[in-house]
Amino acid sequence: MIIAPEPRPAKTLPTIREALSHPRDREGFDAGLPVVVEQARAAGDWRGVEEFTQTWWIIACVSMQDPEDRQRAWDTVDDIQRKIERGEEIPGVPLEEVLARRAARREMPTPDGERS
């Protein structure tokens, strides 16, 4: 369980959306919500909506606590995108390696024998 410092919104979709300080976050929320609801409806499994809510709640907490930091995050995204468009090398771990590490961690059994 994640406990975010105050202030934090209630874990309801309208409250979470209202707490998003950056327009691009609200756009992402608005675009993603109908997709996860339709997937849940089609599959009869609402865990994706729960995950969506939890993810956006965390983003909303960050947004409420430090809107300027959230703006800096989006500025960094824009800067990286411009570098990619210019063909500049971006420092860091390649996405494929990050995904491979993540997949490997998910396959590792936890101490109780369950898969993580």
Side-chain angles (χ1 to χ4, degrees), residues 32-83:
L33 181 58
V35 172
V36 298
V37 168
E38 182 54 38
Q39 289 171 343
R41 191 176 288 131
D45 182 353
W46 292 86
R47 285 178 290 190
V49 175
E50 292 171 358
E51 290 171 8
F52 178 90
T53 302
Q54 178 67 15
T55 298
W56 281 102
W57 179 76
I58 293 167
I59 294 168
C61 290
V62 170
S63 190
M64 287 180 75
Q65 291 159 20
D66 194 347
E68 293 81 21
D69 187 54
R70 194 69 187 146
Q71 179 63 53
R72 283 190 298 276
W74 277 111
D75 291 344
T76 300
V77 168
D78 292 339
D79 183 52
I80 291 170
Q81 184 61 45
R82 284 189 295 273
K83 287 178 180 179

